[in-house]
Every structure is written in structure tokens, then in C-alpha cells.
Amino acid sequence: MIGCEGEGGMMGMMSKMMEGDKPEMMMEMMPQCLKMMLPNIPKEKRIDFVLKMVTTLIEQGCVGMSEGEKKDFVAKVVENVKA
């Protein structure tokens, strides 16, 4: 993978994209990227990747929430995944 560290790497690029109104763009782009990418990943790697992503989404999605809000948030995620 090409340099993921530092100002010019992936992390720097992601930080720059999160400035201003760019988070809205990322919220639209990321699900589309995943729709294109995931079917092309071998099943075993895809499972590991999805588990890592879901964990990250839950952990970071709960930042700044009260315990009650976290519980409701996780319940909504579980409800949607079961559907």
C-alpha cells in the first residue's frame, strides 16, 4: 500500500477531507465505495474487514453519547442488521 502515514499519506488525506463540508461528501462516498469493493474481496478477508468496520463504526459513532444514547444506537444498528 502506498504511504498511509504522515501529511501526504492516507491519514493526512482523510484529515483534509474532514474539514469544512467535506464530511457530508465522505458520508455519501464511503457506502458507494464499499458496495463496489466488498464483492471483490475473498470471503474470509471480507468477514474480517466487515467486523473491523462495524466495530469502528459503533465505537466512533458513540463518541459523545450518554450510556442511554449508546444503548439505543447499538439497538438500532442490531435491528437494521437483522432485517
Side-chain angles (χ1 to χ4, degrees), residues 34-51:
L34 291 170
K35 284 180 185 178
M36 293 186 312
M37 179 187 82
L38 286 172
N40 297 310
I41 297 174
K43 181 174 58 175
E44 294 79 20
K45 287 185 177 184
R46 188 177 345 137
I47 292 167
D48 291 341
F49 175 76
V50 169
L51 291 172

Side-chain angles (χ1 to χ4, degrees), residues 5-35:
E5 303 298 323
E7 190 68 27
M10 184 62 74
M11 294 304 291
M13 187 168 54
M14 292 295 288
S15 293
K16 288 179 183 177
M17 290 188 81
M18 296 306 287
E19 296 170 1
D21 291 335
K22 302 284 173 55
E24 294 295 325
M25 181 177 71
M26 289 296 295
M27 289 170 56
E28 291 180 29
M29 286 177 51
M30 290 195 66
Q32 296 303 318
C33 291
L34 291 170
K35 284 180 185 178

